[in-house]
Amino acid sequence: MNSKALPRQVNNIEVGVYECEIHLKFRLIEEKSLLGDRDQLLQVLLDALTEGPDDFLETLQESVKANEVSELKASPQMRRQLMRLRNSSDNAI
């Protein structure tokens, strides 16, 4: 058996701030009462899109854009979270 310790793997994950834009056009078979609650509709739509195509959702158009932006455009809460992420990856060595 080899008594040498295995070298530690260091995960240098780079994180940044991104502005994301999604445009969707779809047809959906759903309960009429759901359409009155925008937040609930959005959650149902996101769940349906992540589960994949089915007979209740028909995507007509989709467009996704993601652009990295300056950290200064992020809210103070997001900048604090970004610093925490970077500090936690530095301490993982």
Side-chain angles (χ1 to χ4, degrees), residues 48-72:
L49 289 170
T50 57
E51 290 176 14
D54 63 20
D55 294 335
F56 299 97
L57 179 72
E58 180 179 51
T59 303
L60 303 174
Q61 293 177 340
E62 58 185 64
S63 169
V64 178
K65 295 178 188 177
N67 298 308
E68 188 169 9
V69 296
S70 167
E71 295 171 17
L72 299 175

Short mmCIF file of all heavy atoms in Angstrom, two decimals, residues 48-72:
data_model
loop_
_atom_site.label_atom_id
_atom_site.label_comp_id
_atom_site.label_asym_id
_atom_site.label_seq_id
_atom_site.Cartn_x
_atom_site.Cartn_y
_atom_site.Cartn_z
N ALA A 48 -43.11 22.90 -15.91
CA ALA A 48 -43.45 22.21 -17.16
C ALA A 48 -42.29 22.25 -18.15
O ALA A 48 -41.98 21.26 -18.81
CB ALA A 48 -44.70 22.82 -17.77
N LEU A 49 -41.62 23.40 -18.25
CA LEU A 49 -40.51 23.53 -19.18
C LEU A 49 -39.32 22.67 -18.78
O LEU A 49 -38.63 22.11 -19.63
CB LEU A 49 -40.08 24.99 -19.30
CG LEU A 49 -41.05 25.90 -20.03
CD1 LEU A 49 -40.64 27.36 -19.88
CD2 LEU A 49 -41.13 25.53 -21.50
N THR A 50 -39.07 22.54 -17.48
CA THR A 50 -37.93 21.74 -17.04
C THR A 50 -38.20 20.24 -17.15
O THR A 50 -37.27 19.46 -17.32
CB THR A 50 -37.52 22.07 -15.59
OG1 THR A 50 -38.64 21.88 -14.74
CG2 THR A 50 -37.02 23.49 -15.48
N GLU A 51 -39.46 19.85 -17.08
CA GLU A 51 -39.79 18.43 -17.20
C GLU A 51 -39.79 17.96 -18.64
O GLU A 51 -39.73 16.77 -18.90
CB GLU A 51 -41.15 18.15 -16.56
CG GLU A 51 -41.12 18.28 -15.05
CD GLU A 51 -42.48 18.10 -14.42
OE1 GLU A 51 -43.41 17.63 -15.11
OE2 GLU A 51 -42.61 18.43 -13.24
N GLY A 52 -39.85 18.86 -19.58
CA GLY A 52 -39.80 18.48 -20.98
C GLY A 52 -41.16 18.53 -21.65
O GLY A 52 -42.18 18.79 -21.01
N PRO A 53 -41.15 18.28 -22.94
CA PRO A 53 -42.40 18.40 -23.71
C PRO A 53 -43.45 17.39 -23.28
O PRO A 53 -43.13 16.27 -22.89
CB PRO A 53 -41.95 18.14 -25.16
CG PRO A 53 -40.62 17.52 -25.08
CD PRO A 53 -40.04 17.84 -23.74
N ASP A 54 -44.69 17.84 -23.33
CA ASP A 54 -45.82 16.94 -23.06
C ASP A 54 -47.03 17.44 -23.85
O ASP A 54 -46.92 18.38 -24.63
CB ASP A 54 -46.11 16.81 -21.57
CG ASP A 54 -46.54 18.11 -20.91
OD1 ASP A 54 -46.98 19.03 -21.62
OD2 ASP A 54 -46.44 18.21 -19.68
N ASP A 55 -48.16 16.82 -23.64
CA ASP A 55 -49.36 17.16 -24.41
C ASP A 55 -50.08 18.41 -23.89
O ASP A 55 -51.05 18.85 -24.48
CB ASP A 55 -50.34 15.99 -24.40
CG ASP A 55 -49.79 14.79 -25.15
OD1 ASP A 55 -48.94 15.00 -26.04
OD2 ASP A 55 -50.19 13.65 -24.85
N PHE A 56 -49.60 19.00 -22.78
CA PHE A 56 -50.26 20.15 -22.18
C PHE A 56 -49.53 21.47 -22.43
O PHE A 56 -50.03 22.53 -22.09
CB PHE A 56 -50.41 19.95 -20.67
CG PHE A 56 -51.25 18.75 -20.32
CD1 PHE A 56 -50.66 17.55 -20.01
CD2 PHE A 56 -52.63 18.83 -20.34
CE1 PHE A 56 -51.43 16.43 -19.71
CE2 PHE A 56 -53.41 17.73 -20.04
CZ PHE A 56 -52.81 16.53 -19.73
N LEU A 57 -48.33 21.39 -22.98
CA LEU A 57 -47.53 22.59 -23.21
C LEU A 57 -46.92 22.52 -24.61
O LEU A 57 -46.28 21.53 -24.96
CB LEU A 57 -46.41 22.71 -22.18
CG LEU A 57 -45.48 23.90 -22.33
CD1 LEU A 57 -46.21 25.17 -21.93
CD2 LEU A 57 -44.25 23.72 -21.48
N GLU A 58 -47.13 23.57 -25.37
CA GLU A 58 -46.60 23.63 -26.73
C GLU A 58 -45.81 24.93 -26.85
O GLU A 58 -46.38 26.02 -26.77
CB GLU A 58 -47.77 23.62 -27.70
CG GLU A 58 -47.39 23.68 -29.15
CD GLU A 58 -48.63 23.64 -30.04
OE1 GLU A 58 -49.56 24.44 -29.81
OE2 GLU A 58 -48.63 22.81 -30.94
N THR A 59 -44.50 24.81 -27.01
CA THR A 59 -43.65 25.98 -27.15
C THR A 59 -43.69 26.45 -28.60
O THR A 59 -43.45 25.67 -29.52
CB THR A 59 -42.19 25.66 -26.76
OG1 THR A 59 -42.18 25.16 -25.42
CG2 THR A 59 -41.31 26.88 -26.85
N LEU A 60 -43.99 27.73 -28.80
CA LEU A 60 -44.06 28.29 -30.14
C LEU A 60 -42.78 29.05 -30.49
O LEU A 60 -42.29 28.95 -31.61
CB LEU A 60 -45.27 29.23 -30.25
CG LEU A 60 -46.62 28.59 -29.92
CD1 LEU A 60 -47.71 29.64 -29.91
CD2 LEU A 60 -46.94 27.47 -30.89
N GLN A 61 -42.26 29.82 -29.55
CA GLN A 61 -41.01 30.56 -29.75
C GLN A 61 -40.27 30.61 -28.43
O GLN A 61 -40.89 30.69 -27.37
CB GLN A 61 -41.28 32.00 -30.19
CG GLN A 61 -41.90 32.14 -31.55
CD GLN A 61 -42.20 33.61 -31.87
OE1 GLN A 61 -42.29 34.45 -30.98
NE2 GLN A 61 -42.34 33.91 -33.14
N GLU A 62 -38.94 30.58 -28.51
CA GLU A 62 -38.15 30.76 -27.29
C GLU A 62 -36.83 31.43 -27.64
O GLU A 62 -36.27 31.21 -28.70
CB GLU A 62 -37.89 29.43 -26.59
CG GLU A 62 -37.18 28.40 -27.43
CD GLU A 62 -37.06 27.07 -26.72
OE1 GLU A 62 -38.10 26.45 -26.44
OE2 GLU A 62 -35.92 26.67 -26.46
N SER A 63 -36.39 32.28 -26.74
CA SER A 63 -35.14 33.01 -26.92
C SER A 63 -34.54 33.23 -25.53
O SER A 63 -35.24 33.65 -24.61
CB SER A 63 -35.42 34.35 -27.59
OG SER A 63 -34.27 35.17 -27.54
N VAL A 64 -33.25 32.92 -25.39
CA VAL A 64 -32.58 33.06 -24.11
C VAL A 64 -31.28 33.83 -24.34
O VAL A 64 -30.51 33.52 -25.25
CB VAL A 64 -32.26 31.69 -23.49
CG1 VAL A 64 -31.51 31.85 -22.18
CG2 VAL A 64 -33.52 30.88 -23.30
N LYS A 65 -31.05 34.85 -23.51
CA LYS A 65 -29.81 35.63 -23.56
C LYS A 65 -29.26 35.73 -22.15
O LYS A 65 -30.00 35.92 -21.19
CB LYS A 65 -30.07 37.05 -24.08
CG LYS A 65 -30.55 37.13 -25.50
CD LYS A 65 -30.80 38.58 -25.86
CE LYS A 65 -31.48 38.70 -27.21
NZ LYS A 65 -31.80 40.10 -27.53
N ALA A 66 -27.94 35.60 -22.02
CA ALA A 66 -27.27 35.81 -20.74
C ALA A 66 -25.98 36.56 -21.00
O ALA A 66 -25.17 36.14 -21.82
CB ALA A 66 -26.99 34.47 -20.06
N ASN A 67 -25.82 37.69 -20.33
CA ASN A 67 -24.63 38.52 -20.50
C ASN A 67 -24.03 38.83 -19.14
O ASN A 67 -24.74 39.22 -18.21
CB ASN A 67 -24.99 39.85 -21.20
CG ASN A 67 -25.54 39.64 -22.59
OD1 ASN A 67 -24.95 38.96 -23.40
ND2 ASN A 67 -26.69 40.22 -22.84
N GLU A 68 -22.72 38.67 -19.05
CA GLU A 68 -22.04 39.04 -17.80
C GLU A 68 -22.01 40.56 -17.70
O GLU A 68 -21.78 41.26 -18.69
CB GLU A 68 -20.62 38.48 -17.77
CG GLU A 68 -19.95 38.65 -16.43
CD GLU A 68 -18.65 37.88 -16.31
OE1 GLU A 68 -18.17 37.34 -17.31
OE2 GLU A 68 -18.13 37.83 -15.19
N VAL A 69 -22.28 41.06 -16.49
CA VAL A 69 -22.29 42.50 -16.25
C VAL A 69 -21.34 42.80 -15.09
O VAL A 69 -20.92 41.91 -14.35
CB VAL A 69 -23.71 43.03 -15.92
CG1 VAL A 69 -24.64 42.85 -17.10
CG2 VAL A 69 -24.27 42.38 -14.68
N SER A 70 -21.02 44.05 -14.95
CA SER A 70 -20.15 44.49 -13.86
C SER A 70 -20.79 44.16 -12.51
O SER A 70 -22.00 44.28 -12.34
CB SER A 70 -19.92 46.00 -13.96
OG SER A 70 -19.35 46.50 -12.78
N GLU A 71 -19.98 43.74 -11.58
CA GLU A 71 -20.47 43.45 -10.23
C GLU A 71 -21.10 44.68 -9.59
O GLU A 71 -21.95 44.57 -8.71
CB GLU A 71 -19.32 42.94 -9.36
CG GLU A 71 -18.78 41.62 -9.84
CD GLU A 71 -17.51 41.22 -9.12
OE1 GLU A 71 -17.21 41.78 -8.04
OE2 GLU A 71 -16.82 40.34 -9.64
N LEU A 72 -20.69 45.86 -10.02
CA LEU A 72 -21.23 47.09 -9.46
C LEU A 72 -22.70 47.30 -9.81
O LEU A 72 -23.40 48.05 -9.15
CB LEU A 72 -20.40 48.30 -9.93
CG LEU A 72 -18.92 48.27 -9.52
CD1 LEU A 72 -18.19 49.45 -10.15
CD2 LEU A 72 -18.79 48.27 -8.01
#
